[in-house]
Structures are given as C-alpha cells and as structure tokens.
Amino acid sequence: MRYRAPRGTRDILPEESWKWEKVQRAFEDTARRFGYRDIRLPVFEQTELFARGIGDATDIVRKEMYTFADRKGRSLTLRPEGTAGTVRAYIEHNMGESARVTKLRYFCPMFRYERPQAGRYRQFWQWGLEAIGSMSPSVDAEIIHFCVSLFTNLGIEGSVAKLNSAGCKSCTPAYNEALREHLAPRLDEFCPDCSERYERNPRRMFDCKNESCLALLADAPSILDSLCDECRQHFESVLEYLDRMSVPYEVDKGLARGLDYYTRTIFEVHYPGLGAQSALCGGGRYDDLVEELGGKPTPAVGVSAGVERLMLAYESESGGTGQEPGPEIYIVSMGERAEREAAGLAAGLRADRSVELDHQGRSMKAQMREAGRLGARVAIIVGEDELERGAVSVKDMETGDQVEVELDRLNEAVEEKLAK
Ligand code: AMP
C-alpha cells in the first residue's frame, strides 16, 4: 500500500514552503504595523456556528462543509472560513470589554468539500483580518489600505480596490423587491442556482459564475441607488478616507460577496496581472453578525483571502527567480577528529548563524560541492593537518579566496566575510 495525500489536499514541500514563509512574514509584519494581533482558532467548531454565521443559503453551508459526528455524537465541522470562529472567540472571551476596537489577524488552513481543480483544494490557506467594535468608515478604509500595503510589500504593484455597499437591514428589503421586480420577466433564462437565489436572496445572483446570467443582470438596478441615508453617508465616507490614504479604488455596482453576513461596505482588491480571476482578497462589514451569534450588538469589518492565489501573484511578480536561502556557513571536515571539531564549531556558530555540515562521511570534494549547491556564503575547512596547528581554513564561496585562521580568531574571520 502506497499512501497518498487525500484528494484535494497537497504537501507544500520545502522547495516551495520557503516562499510561503516569506509571504506569511510579510503578512505578519504588515498586520503588526496596522495593529492587528494574532488569534489561533480551533480547526473545528460546532456545526451550528457556521450554519448560523455563514448563512444557510450559502454554497459553503449547503454543499461544502466537512461535517462529522464525534464519539459522543456531537456535530462538528472543520472551519471553512475564519470570521465565524473569530467572532465566537470574541464573544466567548468578552474581548470587547478590554478594548473599544478589537483587531485580530489569522493565517491558517481552511477546509471545504469542493471539486478539486487548478488552484482549488479541499484544504487551503487563508489570511484574514477582523476589526470588531467600530462603526467608523475609517476602519473599513484601514482594512482596504492594509490589503494594498501588503501586496505592495510583496512586490505586487498596481492592485485596485473595488467597492460596493450591501446596505443594511433597513434598506435591503426594498432593494430586493426592486431587483425581483426587474428580473421577474426573464427569470426563466437564468441558471437553476440563480432561480433559487432569486427566492432566497436575489443580490447573490450577482455572484453567479455564468456569463449568461451576468449579462442578464447588466442593467439591473444598483443598490447604491436604494441605500438609506446612513448607509449612503457611510459609503461616501469610506471613499473619502481612501482618497486621503491615496488608495486606488473603483466603485463597482455589480460587486456581490458569496457570504450572507455582509452589511454596508463590501470590497475586493484586484490585481489585473492574474487575468480573469483577479481578486486577491475580499471582505466587508458585518454589523449584525456578533449579535446573530449571541453577543451584544457590535459593528465589525473584515477581510479574508486565499493564500494559494496570493502565492501565484507573488511568484509572477518576483519572476519566480528567488532562491531558497541556504546556510550562511558550511563546515567541511575530513577524518574523525576533524568531524568532532566541526560539530563543536557548528554548535558554537549556530548561536547566531545558520550552519550546515556533512553527516555522511562524504569526501572533501563532495562536501565542497554540497556547500556550493546549498548556496553557503562561507566554507570552513577543518583538516587534520591544520588542526595540528590549531587552525582551520575559511573560504569565501563567492570569490574563492581562502585563508588559514587560528581557531580563536575564527569567529572574527567568519563575521568579516559575512559582513561583505
Ligand atoms: P471566500 O471565503 O469564499 O470569499 O473565499 C476567499 C478566497 O479564498 C477565494 O478568493 C480563494 O482565493 C480562496 N479559496 C476559497 N475556496 C478555496 C479552495 N477550495 N481552494 C483554494 N482557495 C480557495
């Protein structure tokens, strides 16, 4: 029996994962600069949390959840997204009591039972931010600015935010009616999924992947014309903040998001370099969700994004030319005594430098070749003869220069070469 990773999952091997580390570090550094703190959530939650939090009508809840009964028969689900769990934790730990605005970030795997295809997995990664506790349009703009900043920090230039509003409880019922009225005469031309969306939540029809459905929606009324005064003011303020922050954006009347909990601002940030599927992240306000999940009424706004897609953009922008960082130092040794000395030197140098050495008793030539292959900047050559004199050789792998140094001057010599 040869075991394989389950369908829809994949291993991210070291040849690739060093790039993931870079992207994750850029995410964490940028999030820290914006004041978003790390939260680590359980991989599974009560099924009910997602059913309520994400919405019964969504594809995720209807078709894509990994749901199972545990040994006591409790229904649990592997998290398909991060917002419901974050809000559950926010309520459970009364996080709103210690801060007026609670700003959290996550970077972790999610699980959805989808048909695997290019870039679509059953276990995939998302990064996300949630800012819970403020109604202010400045937080919406801050989160959008974060996304553009993150992409810029990764060398992904030219991303543009697209914004729309999802309205609120008071302005959406009238809009839904206007939309139904407009679409009714041609309803039979839409796909079956859209017919169902028409009944449950007609705004979700904008989310359809079928070109023919989208064409039928082209002249549908825009929610921006039906917003209540508060929602309109909020939307305009978000745009003013974005102007002030010099964040490039477009208003996109057709923008809809696949999750039911959004209110007011909804947005995506697009990177045209990715072609048709150019959205690098999406999010918006969810002012009713905290209360919906059992907390006090608390406004909130967030964003999330697939890391796999971000990796594609990152690789295309960095030209895929980067190299996995190798050890700074490779210690080559020959003979038993030299091997022990090499191990001792590595132990000392590893306090603040990355060091690799041979564990297979290979020839000096093979070890030097390995040092080159790994991209070490300095090789330390420990030979029996030199050891007799209390010395080793230090070779600059870039220039090929090699000098003999006494052991008690080794650190200095290595630092000198690495400093160049
Ligand atoms: P959503 O939470 O559905 O808005 O998805 C947000 C982003 O997560 C998408 O734009 C994708 O980049 C990513 N994503 C969602 N589902 C998958 C999947 N099955 N495999 C890989 N990425 C996914």
Side-chain angles (χ1 to χ4, degrees):
M1 172 78 180
R2 269 174 74 91
Y3 296 109
R4 303 185 70 97
R7 184 167 149 79
T9 69
R10 71 188 194 110
D11 304 305
I12 301 166
L13 301 177
E15 290 71 28
E16 194 186 350
S17 65
W18 66 272
K19 292 183 213 163
W20 282 64
E21 282 185 296
K22 273 186 141 176
V23 167
Q24 183 162 358
R25 207 168 303 132
F27 168 73
E28 284 161 2
D29 289 347
T30 313
R32 229 173 272 124
R33 263 182 267 151
F34 279 71
Y36 288 79
R37 295 155 75 213
D38 186 37
I39 183 163
R40 302 195 181 200
L41 298 162
V43 167
F44 55 84
E45 300 266 3
Q46 290 168 30
T47 301
E48 178 61 22
L49 173 73
F50 297 122
R52 268 205 97 102
I54 303 172
D56 286 334
T58 58
D59 282 355
I60 298 181
V61 172
R62 286 170 54 223
K63 309 191 261 204
E64 297 171 359
M65 294 208 299
Y66 266 99
T67 298
F68 58 96
D70 74 2
R71 287 171 184 273
K72 289 255 167 79
R74 287 171 285 233
S75 181
L76 299 172
T77 294
L78 300 184
R79 61 176 178 228
E81 55 94 63
T83 303
T86 307
V87 169
R88 193 263 313 134
Y90 172 87
I91 298 168
E92 183 173 339
H93 304 289
N94 296 318
M95 293 171 89
E97 276 173 19
S98 53
R100 298 208 72 106
V101 189
T102 303
K103 304 207 300 189
L104 300 167
R105 68 167 195 265
Y106 58 83
F107 190 110
C108 54
M110 305 295 174
F111 307 84
R112 294 185 195 173
Y113 196 86
E114 285 191 76
R115 198 168 64 79
Q117 47 188 306
R120 288 261 138 187
Y121 304 95
R122 290 179 173 174
Q123 172 171 337
F124 61 97
W125 289 69
Q126 281 192 343
W127 62 264
L129 303 182
E130 315 290 352
I132 308 174
S134 173
M135 202 54 141
S136 170
S138 60
V139 194
D140 310 39
E142 177 182 274
I143 284 197
I144 296 169
H145 180 216
F146 168 89
C147 300
V148 173
S149 301
L150 170 65
F151 302 149
T152 306
N153 291 344
L154 286 168
I156 302 166
E157 306 279 352
S159 61
V160 178
K162 294 191 177 184
L163 283 91
N164 196 6
S165 179
C168 68
K169 275 188 209 146
S170 75
C171 47
T172 48
Y175 174 66
N176 285 348
E177 269 329 296
L179 192 55
R180 284 201 184 96
E181 211 167 284
H182 174 86
L183 298 175
R186 300 184 71 181
L187 189 57
D188 53 353
E189 295 174 52
F190 282 90
C191 72
D193 276 350
C194 274
S195 305
E196 207 184 319
R197 292 180 185 126
Y198 178 87
E199 297 300 333
R200 285 170 179 258
N201 179 356
R203 279 170 298 148
R204 295 280 312 286
M205 295 167 83
F206 288 102
D207 226 9
C208 187
K209 308 274 183 305
N210 288 328
E211 290 298 329
S212 58
C213 294
L214 294 178
L216 289 166
L217 287 164
D219 58 352
S222 162
I223 188 164
L224 294 180
D225 300 324
S226 307
L227 294 181
C228 64
D229 287 345
E230 285 85 4
C231 284
R232 179 172 311 108
Q233 260 171 24
H234 186 93
F235 189 68
E236 283 166 5
S237 293
V238 174
L239 303 185
E240 282 163 19
Y241 274 106
L242 292 176
D243 284 331
R244 188 69 192 77
M245 294 167 164
S246 306
V247 172
Y249 68 83
E250 292 164 8
V251 173
D252 180 351
K253 293 180 177 183
L255 180 69
R257 301 275 311 141
L259 310 179
D260 274 355
Y261 49 60
Y262 287 116
T263 51
R264 295 198 166 167
T265 315
I266 48 176
F267 69 91
E268 291 178 345
V269 180
H270 286 252
Y271 168 60
L274 275 182
Q277 298 270 312
S278 64
L280 274 182
C281 65
R285 233 173 216 287
Y286 50 93
D287 290 336
D288 304 325
L289 185 63
V290 178
E291 186 179 12
E292 180 75 20
L293 293 179
K296 293 188 201 128
T298 310
V301 51
V303 62
S304 72
V307 178
E308 281 81 0
R309 194 177 291 179
L310 179 59
M311 292 306 301
L312 285 181
Y314 173 63
E315 283 177 6
S316 85
E317 278 308 291
S318 62
T321 50
Q323 210 203 335
E324 181 178 356
E328 293 165 299
I329 303 164
Y330 194 100
I331 309 184
V332 174
S333 62
M334 208 57 225
E336 220 170 279
R337 183 168 157 227
E339 274 172 24
R340 295 223 175 86
E341 187 64 34
L345 291 177
L349 288 163
R350 277 175 173 158
D352 52 10
R353 291 293 183 186
S354 58
V355 182
E356 190 52 283
L357 73 180
D358 178 66
H359 290 293
Q360 291 173 303
R362 283 187 291 184
S363 73
M364 201 104 159
K365 205 167 144 204
Q367 291 182 46
M368 280 309 293
R369 214 178 309 122
E370 180 73 352
R373 196 185 66 78
L374 292 174
R377 291 174 56 204
V378 171
I380 299 174
I381 302 154
V382 188
E384 302 269 335
D385 293 348
E386 287 146 308
L387 273 186
E388 288 296 330
R389 297 193 292 274
V392 292
S393 292
V394 175
K395 180 173 178 173
D396 184 323
M397 296 295 286
E398 226 164 82
T399 61
D401 292 346
Q402 184 170 324
V403 287
E404 186 170 307
V405 293
E406 286 172 15
L407 276 171
D408 54 12
R409 267 211 63 239
L410 176 62
N411 270 348
E412 222 174 293
V414 167
E415 288 304 323
E416 220 170 82
K417 292 233 180 278
L418 288 175
K420 275 200 289 179

